[in-house]
């Protein structure tokens, strides 16, 4: 097909005609747009300016009431209370300093907060309200309201503020809210307009943060007419928001508070878990802090005191802390060996106090050696050499598989901040992460929960629950959301031979009930509450050959941060397990002396549901226990957060 | 094909091409983009982040792309027209299949450094394909019914895909833009009268289908139409945008409140104040004078393009320039009508001013094509 390339005169004339026609139409439409603009901006300008200035209609967001948090018995853990605050709109105030001056005659203004407000004002747009004073009393509020005409731009506002009546006992679980920060906003893709409300409270850590979406609710809106100084003239209409969902936790406030008191000032963590359902009955970390301090913004010295403390009060050690599980891990080695047929319960191993593996000497904690050991005896007396020998036969692959089945190395999906996944080491892990080959010595170390193995107290509690029930128990923290239960029916079976479990449980029973058991001192003598447990003492330092030759330094003679961690896990009652307990005392020394007594007291309290009868304790301890329980009871807050009868 | 027959020798070569670019048009584009930066700076409360600075970077990238496209001969781009069209349709199908969901609509492909909206690209490649088609078709056949079918198919296919996303604004732009190219190619005006009649029929059908099992639009689109027809019916919900936008605009008056002094567009929670509703800020802060100035800048861009097309004796080039000008016109005409309460809120950005990467880059590439057609025109 041949045709002239350049348009012929005829077709080009047609194109030009059409182009000019369409171009004309376009210019015509633009003229129309211009006319419309003139109509809106020139002819109707006064009317719109009036709408905009004199009587502008504002859509205000109504923050929804945040969902409240309760314990399993309905004790309030996080509630909303009315709080009064005074805000200023720079644009409406005119001379800001003069207004603040006038205000300070009526209300006591905190100079620090005032300074903060001034910088906030300088930074933000002139028409945005800035909070001058928070948590103002009702009297001060009324004084401001009466003098409103003399205070242009000042608005007294009522809002809801978060309060944690039980204070420190739930700080690590419930967490706290705080004012939305720029950092928070930058993390969210499409922020809810609510977050732009000044001083809007957002969950920062713990359940408050992780369940933010459930707790926050949906904003309502109200349409108000405001005059030229920004004062609301009347409300035109309002659409209510949707309050956040109330959460009920599986925790028991009385137990939680007792455990917190029992842990005292130690750097420690403790967990009580319903070993049949997985419900967490208490989840403590000590020392703790008062979450109410964070609600309005914590002062710098207060915050520094918390961060500088070597006991790390801000850390939720029960789920965030990971420790070498030490001897509490021996059940895993034992169960794996029984399941794989590496040993039977009757096989014996000779413990001379050490074992030489590939030119390295691995010591038993008892230097003189335990002699002939069976599985039951080895667990009861916590013989290390027995497990070294068993693990050499078993190998790391099978050990690591059992460890995984029992819940170690797993990150449980609870609504808490920074849940640790611990470490269940395997050949593959060492090759990819450490870039080194797995050595047989690593297996020996792992067999007694040392070396690379790390577990959080939560994982230890889950492990104990699984040993006690033979089921794949999963921990649960939220019992119901707005009254709807979140439960999921019974857990699956682990698929472990029940006979093997029974042998291990019996050995654990002996730990705290047999005269030779490592935790015999912390036994319970009430038959209905008898517990089965295991002590653990995990080293945080290497003991050099030289030191061993000179005699291992006693824990009491070491600086705190180099002492051993003390651990104890147990379930109870032995014949019908209801709860599993895990206690870790950081650098507490020996598991049997530092952790086991705490676990025993907690166990009794959890099973009995109140101050346990003294008859449950060994006779020689009763006087001491009586005094201790009396002292602790005085520290436990009641439902309303009042401690020892005093009004908070 | 057609270029084989006029002397390529007369076309400037090498760096000399730069001298033959349509420089007034480039200056106009920069001026409009400059207005955009100012407004984005103001909307962010006097801060280059989060909008003005990235927008500036994208404009720089767009300008570079424009120069690159402009220096490549137009016959190369014409040869590419069909591939470009086909490729864009494939991308549209791709977003349909796997696109990430954003703002309730599947619209973009994530390239890592930016989100590519194939529907934006489609506006240009459709014009290219149509221009190539009518360049190839002997002009006397352009009104024959059988020869009308291919261009109609070319327009309808991407329009339908974009409507499915669902993006009403872009599908209107594609349909109208394609129609305008056909009109300029010399298709008999009777067809357009028929199409407009059918359009009225379709609108009726859309309203009839509401609530029935074959509902043609999404509920939110119906609500937008409702509130366009009567903004006071839902002043807190969907009508809110239009009411607030008119108040902001109207309160600007003759000369506006001054740069960064606007209250309405920032005070009220206009969620799209940096994209589709950016014109309200301009109109509020610089008033009627500012608004008209922007409109005049846009007008000059259109007029320059039309004159460039008239001077160009290559049919593909003329049609391409006119088509791009028409699409550009539709962009700001629809956006401004929407902001001024003359059209429903359909989500069309203000070209070169609204915050957004795809639209900006695609428009700059389009103007690169205009420049290329201008530089390499037969002399």
């Amino acid at each position: 097909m041949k045709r002239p390339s350049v348009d012929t005169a005829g077709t080009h004339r047609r194109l030009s005609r059409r182009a000019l026609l369409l171009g004309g139409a376009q210019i015509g439409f633009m003229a129309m747009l211009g006319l419309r603009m003139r109509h809106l901006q020139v002819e109707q300008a006064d009317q719109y300016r009036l709408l905009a200035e004199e009587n502008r209609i504002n859509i205000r967001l109504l923050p929804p009431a945040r969902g409240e948090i309760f314990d399993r018995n309905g004790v309030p853990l996080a509630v909303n209370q009315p709080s009064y605050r005074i805000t200023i709109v720079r644009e409406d105030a005119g001379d800001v300093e003069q207004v603040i001056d006038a205000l300070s005659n009526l209300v006591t203004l905190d100079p620090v907060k005032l300074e903060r407000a001034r910088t906030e004002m300088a930074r933000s747009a002139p028409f945005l309200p800035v909070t001058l004073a928070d948590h103002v009393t009702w009297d001060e509020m009324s004084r401001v309201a009466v003098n409103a005409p003399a205070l242009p731009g000042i608005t007294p506002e009522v809002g809801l503020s978060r309060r944690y009546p039980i204070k420190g006992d739930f700080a690590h679980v419930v967490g706290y809210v705080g004012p939305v920060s720029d950092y928070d906003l930058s993390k969210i893709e499409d922020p809810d307009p609510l977050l732009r409300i000044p001083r809007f409270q957002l969950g920062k850590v713990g359940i408050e943060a992780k369940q933010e979406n459930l707790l926050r609710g949906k904003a309502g809106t109200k349409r108000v007419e405001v005059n030229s100084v920004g004062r609301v003239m009347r409300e035109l209409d309002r659409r209510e928001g949707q309050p956040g969902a109330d959460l009920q936790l599986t925790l028991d406030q009385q137990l939680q508070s007792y455990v917190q008191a029992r842990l005292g000032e130690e750097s420690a963590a403790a967990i009580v878990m319903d070993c049949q359902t997985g419900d967490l009955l208490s989840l403590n970390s000590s020392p703790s802090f008062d979450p109410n301090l964070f609600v309005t913004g914590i002062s710098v010295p207060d915050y520094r005191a918390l961060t500088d403390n070597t006991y790390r009060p801000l850390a939720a050690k029960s789920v965030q802390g990971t420790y070498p599980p030490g001897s509490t891990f021996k059940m895993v080695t034992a169960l794996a060996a029984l399941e794989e047929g590496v040993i039977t319960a009757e096989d014996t191993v000779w413990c001379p106090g050490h074992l030489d593996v590939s030119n390295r000497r691995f010591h038993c904690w008892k230097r003189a050696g335990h002699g002939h050991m069976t599985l039951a005896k080895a667990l009861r007396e916590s013989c290390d050499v027995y497990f070294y020998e068993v693990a050499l036969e078993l190998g790391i692959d099978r050990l690591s598989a059992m460890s995984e089945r029992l819940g170690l190395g797993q990150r449980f999906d609870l609504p808490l901040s920074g849940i640790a996944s611990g470490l269940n080491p395997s050949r593959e892990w060492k090759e990819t992460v450490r870039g080194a080959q797995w050595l047989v010595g690593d297996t020996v170390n792992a067999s007694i929960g040392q070396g690379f193995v790390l577990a959080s107290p939560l994982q230890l509690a889950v492990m104990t629950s699984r040993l006690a029930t033979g089921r794949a128990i999963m921990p649960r923290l939220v019992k119901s959301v707005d009254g709807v239960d979140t439960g999921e029916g019974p857990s699956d079976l682990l698929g472990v031979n029940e006979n093997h479990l029974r042998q291990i449980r019996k050995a654990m029973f002996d730990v705290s009930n047999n005269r030779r058991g490592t935790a015999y001192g912390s036994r319970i003598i009430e038959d209905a509450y008898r517990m089965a447990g295991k002590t653990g003492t995990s080293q945080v330092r290497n003991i050099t050959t030289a030191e061993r030759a000179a005699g291992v330094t006693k824990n009491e003679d070491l600086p705190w941060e180099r002492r051993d961690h003390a651990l104890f896990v147990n379930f109870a009652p032995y014949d019908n397990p209801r709860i599993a307990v895990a206690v870790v005392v950081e650098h507490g020394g020996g598991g049997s002396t530092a952790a086991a007594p705490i676990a025993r007291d907690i166990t009794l309290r959890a099973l009995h549901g109140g101050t346990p009868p003294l008859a449950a304790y060994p006779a020689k301890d009763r006087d001491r226990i009586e005094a201790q329980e009396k002292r602790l009871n005085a520290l436990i807050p009641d439902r309303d957060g009042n401690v020892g009868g005093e009004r908070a | 094909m057609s270029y084989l027959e006029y002397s390529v020798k007369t076309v400037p070569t090498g760096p000399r091409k730069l001298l033959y670019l349509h420089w007034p048009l480039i200056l106009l584009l920069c001026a409009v983009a400059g207005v955009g930066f100012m407004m984005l700076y103001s909307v962010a409360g006097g801060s280059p982040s989060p909008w003005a600075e990235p927008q500036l970077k994208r404009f720089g990238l767009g300008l570079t792309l424009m120069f690159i496209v402009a220096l490549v001969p137009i016959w190369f781009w014409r040869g590419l027209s069909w591939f470009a069209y086909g490729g864009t349709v494939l991308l549209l199908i791709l977003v349909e299949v796997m696109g990430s969901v954003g703002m309730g609509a599947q619209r973009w492909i994530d390239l890592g450094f930016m989100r590519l909206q194939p529907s934006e690209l489609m506006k240009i490649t459709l014009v290219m394909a149509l221009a190539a088609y009518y360049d190839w078709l002997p002009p006397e056949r352009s009104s024959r019914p059988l020869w009308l079918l291919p261009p109609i198919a070319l327009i309808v296919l991407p329009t339908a895909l974009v409507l499915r996303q669902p993006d009403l604004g872009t599908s209107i732009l594609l349909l109208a833009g394609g129609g305008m190219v056909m009109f300029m190619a010399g298709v008999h005006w009777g067809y357009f009268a028929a199409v407009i009649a059918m359009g009225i029929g379709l609108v009726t059908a859309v309203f009839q289908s509401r609530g029935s099992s074959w509902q043609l639009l999404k509920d939110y689109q119906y609500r937008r139409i409702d509130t366009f027809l009567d903004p006071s019916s839902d002043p807190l919900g969907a009508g809110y945008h239009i009411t607030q936008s008119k108040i902001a605009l109207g309160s600007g008056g003759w000369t506006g409140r001054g740069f960064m002094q606007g209250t309405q567009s920032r005070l009220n929670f206009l969620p799209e104040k940096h994209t589709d509703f950016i014109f309200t800020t301009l109109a509020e802060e610089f008033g009627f004078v500012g608004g008209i100035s922007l409109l005049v800048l846009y007008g000059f861009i259109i007029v320059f393009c039309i004159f460039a097309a008239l001077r160009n004796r290559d049919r593909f080039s003329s049609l391409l320039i006119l088509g791009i000008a028409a699409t550009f016109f539709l962009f700001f005409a629809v956006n401004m009508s929407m902001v001024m309460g003359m059209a429903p809120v359909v989500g069309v950005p203000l070209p070169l001013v609204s915050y957004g990467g795809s639209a900006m880059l695609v428009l700059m590439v389009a103007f690169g094509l205009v420049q290329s057609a201008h530089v390499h025109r037969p002399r």
Side-chain angles (χ1 to χ4, degrees), chain A residues 172-175 204-210 316 319-320 411 414-420:
Chain A
H172 297 109
V173 182
V174 172
K204 297 283 181 168
V205 298
I207 291 177
E208 291 274 29
K210 293 290 171 176
V319 296
Q320 295 170 352
R411 199 182 166 281
L414 295 177
L416 293 172
S417 306
I419 296 182

Side-chain angles (χ1 to χ4, degrees), chain A residues 158-228:
Chain A
V158 187
L160 288 175
S161 182
R162 204 60 155 175
R163 193 169 69 85
Y164 304 99
I166 313 292
K167 302 205 175 68
D169 297 349
F170 287 84
H172 297 109
V173 182
V174 172
Y176 51 82
V177 297
V180 182
S181 66
D182 291 345
Y183 175 70
D184 293 327
L185 281 177
S186 71
K187 276 195 304 183
I188 309 170
E189 180 94 351
D190 180 29
D192 191 329
L194 267 177
L195 301 188
R196 306 220 180 256
I197 294 178
R199 308 288 166 109
F200 184 79
Q201 294 182 333
L202 179 76
K204 297 283 181 168
V205 298
I207 291 177
E208 291 274 29
K210 293 290 171 176
Q211 303 284 38
E212 174 69 27
N213 290 343
L214 284 175
L215 291 167
R216 189 191 298 161
K218 292 227 160 43
T221 48
K222 71 175 170 183
R223 206 162 57 120
V224 291
E225 244 180 47
V226 285
N227 66 8
S228 55

Side-chain angles (χ1 to χ4, degrees), chain A residues 11 51 73 86 428 502 533-534:
Chain A
T11 53
L51 271 176
N73 301 315
I86 293 168
E428 204 193 346
R502 220 172 277 148
K534 182 75 194 79

Side-chain angles (χ1 to χ4, degrees), chain A residues 13 17 53 60 157 228 277 336 397 455 458:
Chain A
R13 205 176 309 134
R17 211 163 48 224
E53 302 279 325
R60 300 240 166 132
E157 285 183 34
S228 55
T277 62
D397 300 325
L458 174 67

Side-chain angles (χ1 to χ4, degrees), chain A residues 298-319:
Chain A
I298 188 167
S299 72
V300 176
D302 281 354
Y303 189 66
R304 185 151 305 151
L306 289 174
T307 50
D308 287 354
N309 190 329
T310 45
Y311 285 15
R312 292 173 294 126
L314 290 176
K317 298 177 185 112
S318 46
V319 296

